[in-house]
Amino acid sequence: MSITDRMLLGLPQKAQNTIYSTFDNINMMLSVKNAKVAASIAPSAIRGLFTRGAQADSAAMKASHSAHFDLNYGSEFPEMYELYRRAVVNQWNGDRDLDWSTNVDPENPERPLMPLDYLPFPQLEAKGIKLNAKEKLRYAHDWTAWSLAQFMHGEQGALYAAAQVTESVQWMDAKLYGATQVMDEGRHLEVFFRYLDSKMNKVYVINDNLFVILDDLLTDKRWDVKFLGMQIMVEGLALGAFTTFYNMTSEPLLKQLLKYVIQDEARHVHYGVLALREHITKQLSESERREREDWAFEVALLMRNRFLGREMYYDWFEGQLSLKDWDEVVLNAPSMTMFRQIMFQRLMPNLEYIGLMSDRIRAQYAKSGLTDFLGGRNATQLSAEDLLKPDETVTQFVSKQAVH
């Protein structure tokens, strides 16, 4: 039994949760081993985990980047210009192209928002929480609402990051493409909010750990770190989440919405790997490259370990289950294992392609069990059609759940 566990013995559960959460947040900050990365993330971690009010209506994030005003206007990056042309042709209208008259009934078993097998009901039962059939459908509704709300918050962060990078990036072709991404992210923010507001009737607050990552990259003055954080890390996480939901949901409006978003996001990540490979392999010093490599590694671990849906816990199980037990349920649920696999299938090949997978950092990823995902196709080798195909990891998960 740990020192923290001994401290919690005999305390009321609310006090236990407060102490556990505080120590867990401190441990998160201490878990970042690289001193430079820790110093970079610390101000955002303090704001996100300790001083930001969970119900605050807004958050000020002070930007300090420089705008790069190009007076040459030359086209230097044909592949990026081609992405720009594709983006122009493939713009869609969320009001016109989605059927908002669709009735979304969270209690309709014929059109489930999320298959009940995807949710951690056996793990909850092992902790003494047993839900009836109606409660399970309502839980599926709320888990979907929580997930879509985090997508929405992430899209708002992506909107600002795309605008910042468009200012700072050095190639005119990238600025043209970046302008289309700003439009894309605004449209994604619009449709996710509309779906949550008009169909789910529930909007969850931003997850603390997502806030930390967004705050860190939006306040960093280095344009390529913003780019790395948003285009590779957060967009990679998002693509994994979007494709999981697209494969799993039977709700037609949500499925069509996600199809459009995935098509856009495939271009966004492609853009990111093109620009960063050029920048990292040709323009950064070795010490600068190592710094980005270390930053990406630490953020990858945060994304793997920290998105635990605690907002759902406080909504559903506070008083019935300890926060620590909830974390164990989420971390060990087969569905979350599947989601993490999909996320790193997308992320690791991109980090390798852009030049952030030296033998030095590869050894660190190996210790964390993540090198199995290397060698896959990176974003330049994946089309939107590839991402919309049934995912093998999801198919295997569904097959195993059917057997059980």
Side-chain angles (χ1 to χ4, degrees), residues 23-60:
F23 274 90
D24 186 57
N25 288 337
I26 292 170
N27 286 336
M28 186 280 284
M29 295 177 68
L30 295 176
S31 70
V32 180
K33 304 302 183 185
N34 184 282
K36 283 188 176 181
V37 178
S40 168
I41 293 177
S44 297
I46 291 169
R47 283 191 293 272
L49 302 177
F50 297 105
T51 62
R52 180 182 65 91
Q55 303 302 323
D57 289 334
S58 63

Side-chain angles (χ1 to χ4, degrees), residues 32-88:
V32 180
K33 304 302 183 185
N34 184 282
K36 283 188 176 181
V37 178
S40 168
I41 293 177
S44 297
I46 291 169
R47 283 191 293 272
L49 302 177
F50 297 105
T51 62
R52 180 182 65 91
Q55 303 302 323
D57 289 334
S58 63
M61 299 179 182
K62 187 176 181 180
S64 58
H65 61 284
S66 298
H68 179 88
F69 198 104
D70 191 327
L71 295 172
N72 180 39
Y73 298 97
S75 180
E76 303 172 335
F77 219 135
E79 193 172 355
M80 199 170 289
Y81 183 76
E82 174 58 25
L83 275 181
Y84 165 64
R85 298 310 314 169
R86 282 167 45 193
V88 170

Side-chain angles (χ1 to χ4, degrees), residues 338-372:
M338 177 196 72
F339 168 68
R340 287 191 291 270
Q341 286 179 324
I342 293 173
M343 179 179 75
F344 283 101
Q345 283 171 5
R346 301 282 175 260
L347 176 63
M348 296 296 284
N350 290 335
L351 290 174
E352 187 173 29
Y353 180 77
I354 64 177
L356 295 183
M357 194 58 61
S358 67
D359 290 342
R360 178 190 69 89
I361 205 69
R362 188 186 297 259
Q364 297 301 311
Y365 280 109
K367 290 177 184 177
S368 302
L370 296 176
T371 49
D372 289 345

Side-chain angles (χ1 to χ4, degrees), residues 226-241:
K226 295 178 188 294
F227 218 47
L228 175 60
M230 184 52 67
Q231 302 294 125
I232 306 300
M233 310 302 291
V234 176
E235 296 277 20
L237 170 69
L239 259 181

Side-chain angles (χ1 to χ4, degrees), residues 120 123 127 325-337 340:
Q123 291 74 29
K127 299 289 186 181
D325 282 343
W326 168 260
D327 286 356
E328 290 176 2
V329 165
V330 175
L331 278 171
N332 297 323
S335 57
M336 291 305 293
T337 300
R340 287 191 291 270

Side-chain angles (χ1 to χ4, degrees), residues 279-280 282-291:
H279 178 70
I280 289 169
K282 296 182 180 179
Q283 298 180 14
L284 292 185
S285 68
E286 177 58 19
S287 63
E288 289 172 328
R289 192 201 62 78
R290 286 169 61 104
E291 190 174 346

